[in-house]
Amino acid sequence: MKSIVINNPGDVEIREVEMPVPKEGEALLKLLYGGICGSDLGTYRGTFAYVSYPRTPGHEFSAEIVKIGENDKGLKEGMVVTCNPYFNCGTCYSCERGLVNCCTTNQTMGVQREGAFSEYITMPIERIYDGKGLSAKTLALIEPFCISYHGVSRANVKKGDKVLVIGAGTIGVLAAVAAKALGAEVYISDIAEQKLEYAKEFGVDGTLLNDSPENFEARVNEITNGNGFDVTIEAVGMPSTFQNCIDAAAFGGRVVLIGVGKKNLDFNFTMIQKKELDVFGSRNALKKDFEELIDIVKNGNVDLEKIVTNTYKMEDAAKAFEDFDKNAGSMLKVVLEF
């Protein structure tokens, strides 16, 4: 079968590899769609903190069950599904407390272990979720929605909160969608005007073009009457955008860090104490996030496919990564069709 491999930064190839054989408790899946995540793009660029090479990328995907044994989840051959791609050890302190999404030795598909971007993969049955009739393209978007939803949940966003999301990429836009669904007044900021225009289609209450520190501060003060936002969400992974979140947060506000980067932060940390901020890290997602969001999307509350701006065939993966790298300011969610 064919598999997509990133050998080194900038080097993507389609490689012939052996078909996987499911072990006891696993199912054989045929890939249908896969989304290129910001972390996959970071792998391509050589900027992602957690990855090693060579690596088959991909952890956002939908698939058809080709072979599966008896199970108590109602999963059968021919069903279209999505999966939880975060593998936890089950024995560390985090896992013992049920915090399996932040396992101390977490292995996410496409990052610390081989990813999904192959024609066929095997998955533990316990990690496979019934797509409940959603389209294959939509199901490939559930995982990034889970990342955003989990982050919003960490901050306990509630009706009436003023929320600022920094970063109008896929995760940022979906965080805005999740916060809106909880009744918040939501704004989104980015350096790319085109992305902000696209974000408006998802019902945000307003946008902030982050083209200078002065303009950013002025817009924050204008929107919040100088009070700052109840919740700020970082969805980029840069020191400057984390600083934006600290600066834009209200006294007594909540700050969530979803973005991942390699750079160190140098800032006036006393602002956390001065404002008495609650700062939350948000890593991966939980089984309940997947199951809740599949139901939310099935009930027609969110049209996830609107987030897709570009679709490529599997064999054009190298071009997809190259295009995404060069045009990240105008491309939101890029998916591969397997």
Side-chain angles (χ1 to χ4, degrees):
M1 69 167 187
K2 293 181 174 63
S3 183
I4 298 168
V5 179
I6 302 178
N7 292 308
N8 288 293
D11 179 11
V12 179
E13 71 166 325
I14 307 294
R15 188 182 295 179
E16 288 286 338
V17 299
E18 291 294 319
M19 277 276 292
V21 178
K23 301 172 185 172
E24 183 70 27
E26 293 183 339
L28 179 66
L29 308 180
K30 176 180 172 60
L31 256 284
L32 299 176
Y33 283 92
I36 297 179
C37 176
S39 60
D40 296 321
L41 183 59
T43 300
Y44 178 78
R45 289 172 167 171
T47 59
F48 189 49
Y50 300 138
V51 78
S52 60
Y53 302 90
R55 180 65 69 217
T56 293
H59 57 262
E60 311 171 358
F61 61 94
S62 61
E64 178 185 343
I65 299 176
V66 175
K67 185 177 181 181
I68 192 168
E70 288 293 321
N71 63 87
D72 59 3
K73 295 169 58 99
L75 297 171
K76 300 177 182 177
E77 292 169 7
M79 291 177 66
V80 178
V81 298
T82 191
C83 301
N84 183 330
Y86 328 118
F87 283 71
N88 62 293
C89 70
T91 59
C92 72
Y93 188 47
S94 297
C95 288
E96 284 178 353
R97 292 177 293 152
L99 305 174
V100 296
N101 61 305
C102 54
C103 169
T104 56
T105 55
N106 170 79
Q107 291 195 344
T108 297
M109 293 176 67
V111 183
Q112 297 95 342
R113 64 189 293 135
E114 291 298 80
F117 287 0
S118 300
E119 289 181 303
Y120 295 88
I121 62 169
T122 56
M123 284 293 291
I125 293 172
E126 65 183 19
R127 297 184 168 276
I128 302 173
Y129 305 131
D130 180 0
K132 296 186 177 180
L134 291 175
S135 74
K137 185 177 282 189
T138 292
L139 284 171
L141 304 170
I142 292 293
E143 191 276 341
F145 197 10
C146 284
I147 294 293
S148 304
Y149 182 76
H150 186 78
V152 169
S153 300
R154 292 279 288 149
N156 191 28
V157 171
K158 56 187 181 296
K159 187 175 182 179
D161 279 341
K162 271 193 168 70
V163 176
L164 175 64
V165 180
I166 307 284
T170 299
I171 300 302
V173 169
L174 291 176
V177 169
K180 282 294 292 181
L182 293 170
E185 182 181 330
V186 183
Y187 296 80
I188 194 164
S189 177
D190 204 283
I191 60 172
E193 278 191 84
Q194 192 169 348
K195 280 191 171 180
L196 291 180
E197 285 301 310
Y198 196 65
K200 291 177 181 177
E201 297 183 23
F202 292 85
V204 296
D205 294 282
T207 61
L208 290 79
L209 180 64
N210 195 0
D211 55 351
S212 75
E214 296 76 20
N215 287 349
F216 179 80
E217 182 180 6
R219 281 288 284 141
V220 169
N221 289 331
E222 176 188 346
I223 292 166
T224 67
N225 295 318
N227 294 322
F229 287 88
D230 301 298
V231 178
T232 59
I233 298 173
E234 202 286 337
V236 179
M238 295 289 291
S240 60
T241 45
F242 183 71
Q243 181 73 67
N244 288 152
C245 285
I246 298 293
D247 294 341
F251 280 65
R254 290 102 75 199
V255 177
V256 182
L257 178 63
I258 301 177
V260 179
K262 277 186 172 181
K263 295 184 178 179
N264 292 331
L265 183 67
D266 181 12
F267 77 114
N268 180 12
F269 64 87
T270 301
M271 288 305 296
I272 296 175
Q273 180 271 337
K274 183 178 180 180
K275 289 186 173 183
E276 197 176 70
L277 298 176
D278 291 326
V279 181
F280 300 90
S282 181
R283 188 177 189 187
N284 301 334
L286 295 164
K287 176 182 178 179
K288 77 177 198 66
D289 297 320
F290 283 86
E291 294 178 337
E292 287 174 9
L293 287 186
I294 288 171
D295 286 336
I296 287 171
V297 176
K298 183 172 175 58
N299 290 336
N301 296 332
V302 180
D303 179 8
L304 276 185
E305 290 190 26
K306 279 203 309 185
I307 207 94
V308 177
T309 55
N310 304 81
T311 304
Y312 294 79
K313 296 288 188 183
M314 177 200 183
E315 52 266 27
D316 297 323
K319 178 170 173 51
F321 276 96
E322 182 181 3
D323 290 352
F324 199 9
D325 177 39
K326 291 178 178 176
N327 303 288
S330 60
M331 297 167 74
L332 199 54
K333 174 50 64 182
V334 178
V335 300
L336 297 172
E337 183 180 349
F338 287 79

